[in-house]
Amino acid sequence: MWIDFPLNHFLISTNKHFSDISNIKLIIIKVLIIISIGFILNQKKIRCILQNFWTNYFKWIFYSLSLFFGLIHITNYILTLSLVLLSPLICFGSIFSGLVFSFLRVKYGFIYCLLFHFLYNSILYLLILFT
């Protein structure tokens, strides 16, 4: 099973040909890009547009992100054509948990969603560990 931590993957290059200096440069560039995007999105006009979009299309965003959350777990497997075609069935549990996590996030806040996700993953890892 392939497990990757997105922040580590985003910040640290997996290419072994880079020197440590190159990795530091890449990290600095990526952090500057994130900060730049933050400044752009914080502009009043863009924030207003995004809030209107969020309000008008909330249901679409909610279900699309839940579906994306579930389907991104297909990367835990070696991809083949049949696996990709059957991905909605294979990832059904992840899609359903994405809906539950999204509901918890909207209804109770980010911390409850994060804690429930941690609890859910911990139970699954303990089951794998002890079987």
Side-chain angles (χ1 to χ4, degrees):
M1 180 181 269
W2 176 70
I3 299 173
D4 186 28
F5 297 98
L7 187 60
N8 291 341
H9 182 70
F10 183 75
L11 292 178
I12 300 171
S13 175
T14 56
N15 191 341
K16 302 298 182 199
H17 300 292
F18 286 121
S19 66
D20 290 337
I21 302 290
S22 294
N23 280 336
I24 291 170
K25 287 180 184 177
L26 285 173
I27 290 171
I28 291 170
I29 289 170
K30 290 175 182 180
V31 168
L32 290 175
I33 288 171
I34 290 171
I35 291 170
S36 299
I37 290 171
F39 280 124
I40 290 169
L41 293 179
N42 200 26
Q43 299 300 317
K44 190 173 185 176
K45 209 179 236 189
I46 293 176
R47 195 173 10 159
C48 183
I49 291 169
L50 290 175
Q51 284 177 336
N52 286 337
F53 182 80
W54 181 265
T55 304
N56 293 334
Y57 297 102
F58 177 76
K59 288 182 182 179
W60 284 98
I61 295 169
F62 180 88
Y63 291 114
S64 298
L65 289 177
S66 297
L67 181 65
F68 177 73
F69 173 83
L71 291 178
I72 198 71
H73 287 83
I74 199 71
T75 60
N76 292 339
Y77 306 97
I78 297 171
L79 293 179
T80 62
L81 178 61
S82 59
L83 185 70
V84 171
L85 294 174
L86 295 173
S87 60
L89 293 174
I90 293 169
C91 294
F92 177 76
S94 298
I95 294 169
F96 181 75
S97 64
L99 288 169
V100 171
F101 297 150
S102 298
F103 172 78
L104 289 173
R105 165 62 180 95
V106 172
K107 185 79 171 171
Y108 299 107
F110 178 74
I111 296 298
Y112 285 99
C113 172
L114 184 69
L115 291 174
F116 190 77
H117 191 283
F118 173 76
L119 179 67
Y120 179 78
N121 284 348
S122 297
I123 291 169
L124 292 178
Y125 284 127
L126 288 174
L127 287 174
I128 291 170
L129 186 65
F130 292 115
T131 56

